[in-house]
Amino acid sequence: MIALYVIIAVVVVLAATTAVVARRRRGARPPVLVAPPARAAMPEVLVTEQAPIPTLEEVSLGERLSSSRGVFDRVRSLSGAELSTDQLELVEEVLLRSDVGVATTSVVLDELREHGAPNGVAAALRAILLDSFTGDRSSATSADANRVAVWLFVGVNGVGKTTTIGKLAKRHHDEGRSVMLAAGDTFRAAAADQLEQWATRTDSEIVRANEGADPGSVVHDAIGRAGARHLDIVLADTAGRRANSTNLLDELAKVRRVADRDPGQVLETLLVLDATTGQNALSQAREFLAAASVTGIVLTKLDGTARGGIVVAIERDLGIPVKFIGIGEGVDDLIVFDPEEFVDSLLGASR
């Protein structure tokens, strides 16, 4: 009898539990399924046009020479019929920092002591600096009849000599001349490879040899081939360091003699200098002048230095004209040097 009561109780409890569960299930809401956000369709073309790289016409020379220009900020506002000792010392410091040289600095200070700067120190500096530029800046490109025009490039390794040759090859090509490149720097690893890349880039021809070959023979071969193919000009690279026991300057003198021998005619020998080295560039120039018969200077990397005044020191001390300046890494960023534009870019004066 007791067992029967237990069974009945268990049945009642199970029934009650089942009823509760059923009521809960009937009252529960079905889960809401939320659709994932629709993704926007990807465009077939992400970039329709590329912004052009600013040209020199869009970026002024003053902006390219901002480091050198900034050196002169401290004197640009100075003026007066008579400058104080402190003001003169400030002018001296600025000029020496910009590497215009001791000689030019002395001339400027003497002028300011005697006449003052009623129109401003910038105006006085402009007149004196422009007087330092007197050389002929033209570049010869036409050889005598039955001769091949040759431009030689000299300078130590690292100044940007090979790059300068490539950029000038582009300039000659744009002006309608056919160009032969001579890879005469046979002692620097990969120099010929670098020049060959420029030949491809500028649609020029090139003569090269194995590393360690005689530079004079490479230049002579290039001139011969240019003459046979009636090309307009040969741009010849030369060694920028000593090779074995051969003296570098003796080697350069030999290359020049070979290049100037019929059918070649050396019209320009351009010394390439790195503006960032300041007065060291001036010392290098003195070593090259006699051996290479330099006719002009190419001053590279002016956009990366505050020593832009070295242009003045080079022309005043050496009497050799600066013919081209490098103001950037672009192929068109090697430009003909214009003294007025250069000085005005430093001093903020208008032409």
Side-chain angles (χ1 to χ4, degrees):
M1 197 67 179
I2 296 174
L4 180 61
Y5 291 148
V6 171
I7 292 173
I8 294 172
V10 169
V11 171
V12 172
V13 170
L14 289 175
T17 302
T18 302
V20 171
V21 171
R23 285 196 300 271
R24 287 181 179 178
R25 286 180 177 176
R26 286 196 300 271
R29 294 182 179 180
V32 178
L33 301 179
V34 179
R39 294 184 179 179
M42 294 293 288
E44 294 183 3
V45 180
L46 295 179
V47 178
T48 57
E49 62 181 41
Q50 186 175 1
I53 298 175
T55 63
L56 183 59
E57 288 73 21
E58 297 168 339
V59 181
S60 69
L61 184 59
E63 291 176 287
R64 298 291 186 105
L65 305 179
S66 58
S67 295
S68 293
R69 178 184 172 87
V71 174
F72 289 90
D73 284 342
R74 298 168 64 193
V75 301
R76 199 169 284 119
S77 61
L78 296 181
S79 63
E82 184 176 343
L83 299 177
S84 68
T85 301
D86 289 343
Q87 288 175 319
L88 290 173
E89 289 179 353
L90 175 59
V91 173
E92 181 180 22
E93 177 189 346
V94 166
L95 292 177
L96 292 178
R97 280 188 58 202
S98 68
D99 262 341
V100 301
V102 175
T104 302
T105 299
S106 297
V107 171
V108 171
L109 294 176
D110 290 344
E111 183 75 14
L112 293 177
R113 289 190 187 98
E114 183 175 356
H115 301 290
N119 297 320
V121 169
L125 282 175
R126 182 179 190 274
I128 295 171
L129 294 182
L130 285 178
D131 284 343
S132 301
F133 301 110
T134 57
D136 179 11
R137 245 156 277 282
S138 62
S139 299
T141 56
S142 299
D144 296 339
N146 301 319
R147 303 287 293 272
V148 179
V150 180
W151 283 16
L152 287 180
F153 294 82
V154 300
V156 301
N157 285 349
V159 296
K161 183 158 46 72
T162 306
T163 300
T164 294
I165 295 171
K167 291 181 179 181
L168 286 175
K170 170 71 162 47
R171 175 180 290 272
H172 284 297
H173 181 269
D174 290 347
E175 293 174 355
R177 299 184 192 92
S178 52
V179 180
M180 170 71 78
L181 303 182
D185 187 358
T186 59
F187 303 114
R188 181 170 70 87
D193 293 338
Q194 183 182 358
L195 200 62
E196 188 162 16
Q197 292 176 357
W198 277 108
T200 302
R201 188 176 182 183
T202 60
D203 197 23
S204 304
E205 297 191 38
I206 185 172
V207 169
R208 57 177 296 178
N210 295 329
E211 185 174 340
D214 178 58
S217 65
V218 175
V219 173
H220 181 267
D221 190 15
I223 293 171
R225 294 191 193 184
R229 299 178 187 183
H230 305 289
L231 303 184
D232 295 314
I233 192 167
V234 174
L235 306 183
D237 198 2
T238 61
R241 65 176 177 82
R242 293 181 179 181
N244 302 326
S245 59
T246 304
N247 183 279
L248 173 61
L249 299 183
D250 290 343
E251 183 69 39
L252 293 177
K254 172 189 171 184
V255 170
R256 194 188 192 288
R257 290 194 301 270
V258 170
D260 207 30
R261 190 181 303 156
D262 189 44
Q265 183 178 2
V266 177
L267 303 181
E268 299 285 349
T269 301
L270 298 176
L271 172 59
V272 183
L273 300 173
D274 181 347
T276 64
T277 62
Q279 291 295 315
N280 287 335
L282 195 58
S283 300
Q284 290 175 17
R286 292 191 181 98
E287 294 180 3
F288 279 91
L289 292 186
S293 300
V294 174
T295 60
I297 305 290
V298 180
L299 201 59
T300 64
K301 309 176 189 179
L302 264 175
D303 57 314
T305 181
R307 298 174 173 179
I310 192 61
V311 182
V312 180
I314 287 172
E315 290 225 359
R316 191 179 190 95
D317 291 3
L318 303 178
I320 304 294
V322 174
K323 295 193 173 185
F324 299 95
I325 57 174
I327 54 171
E329 297 181 359
V331 69
D332 295 316
D333 290 337
L334 185 75
I335 63 173
V336 175
F337 178 64
D338 182 331
E340 287 193 42
E341 185 181 13
F342 175 76
V343 171
D344 290 346
S345 296
L346 295 183
L347 298 174
S350 58
R351 296 183 64 173

